[in-house]
Amino acid sequence: MRQIKISITPEHWFPEIWPRGEEGPRASEPTILILPADFAAWHVLNFLGKAGVGETDQAALFGVPVGRLHRYRRRISVPGRLEVLARIADLLRCEMALQGIYVDTREASYQWFAAYHRRFPPHPVAYMKQHGIWPVRRYLEQKLRHPMSWRMKPITGSTRRGRWPRSERPSFRGE
């Protein structure tokens, strides 16, 4: 049976989203998430369907005809070509990054795919169809790692208005 293996570094691992067993890896070792290919394809199609991406766009993102997409959705057929498996893995990593960025609401991660984005005009799905999945995936993973991401922002307000206490203010000098 075909499998999709995704390496996840500890800084991208969120136990609330992807639980890990008691015997977790050391901090320097990457964790490998292994999923059966039919389940991964079904999971990504389910996410894209909730995001409001149409079937023709889903088929274009996967690189398969629409009829094959129906077989993936029913888990009758297993993705076999390496190109399709790589696209599924990239879309799965995009989904994982969006879930890490928008921890509180999944609806926001669904809306991100269909909403206008100035970096990926007119919206990320159209950009991925034209230029590939890799630029969007790289952008989302960088946003997840960025020091001013959601993990560092205070709950009380914006950083532009100086709501950080002086002792907790982040440094941009790499200290």
Side-chain angles (χ1 to χ4, degrees):
M1 172 175 261
R2 297 245 179 206
Q3 296 176 341
I4 293 179
K5 297 179 184 178
I6 301 174
S7 62
I8 301 172
T9 58
E11 62 188 15
H12 291 134
W13 191 273
F14 296 96
E16 314 81 59
I17 301 170
W18 303 92
R20 156 170 70 195
E22 294 296 323
E23 63 284 341
R26 292 182 213 114
S28 61
E29 296 177 4
T31 304
I32 296 179
L33 181 66
I34 300 174
L35 296 173
D38 61 341
F39 174 76
W42 172 81
H43 184 74
V44 169
L45 285 173
N46 196 15
F47 177 78
L48 291 174
K50 288 180 182 177
V53 179
E55 286 187 353
T56 55
D57 291 339
Q58 290 175 9
L61 288 176
F62 273 53
V64 297
V66 178
R68 179 72 48 89
L69 205 64
H70 292 300
R71 296 179 65 134
Y72 291 165
R73 187 170 285 117
R74 286 186 252 142
R75 292 177 75 176
I76 296 172
S77 178
V78 177
R81 292 187 320 184
L82 293 178
E83 178 188 344
V84 175
L85 291 173
R87 287 175 180 233
I88 292 171
D90 285 342
L91 287 168
L92 191 60
R93 287 187 73 103
C94 288
E95 177 192 353
M96 289 169 55
L98 279 172
Q99 287 178 2
I101 293 168
Y102 300 108
V103 173
D104 296 334
T105 60
R106 284 192 178 216
E107 288 77 25
S109 64
Y110 298 148
Q111 291 173 359
W112 189 89
F113 264 93
Y116 172 78
H117 198 277
R118 65 185 168 115
R119 185 164 184 143
F120 308 112
H123 50 82
V125 173
Y127 189 87
M128 284 191 281
K129 282 175 37 182
Q130 189 174 13
H131 300 286
I133 302 169
W134 175 249
V136 177
R137 173 188 154 194
R138 187 177 59 213
Y139 169 78
L140 288 172
E141 288 179 350
Q142 285 176 353
K143 188 173 180 184
L144 187 65
R145 277 195 307 264
H146 193 271
M148 291 301 292
S149 67
W150 64 272
R151 290 178 278 174
M152 286 188 61
K153 287 183 184 172
I155 299 172
T156 56
S158 171
T159 57
R160 292 185 187 161
R161 289 186 237 143
R163 302 254 179 159
W164 286 92
R166 192 175 270 305
S167 61
E168 298 177 15
R169 193 168 294 160
S171 172
F172 295 102
R173 289 181 242 148
E175 298 173 353

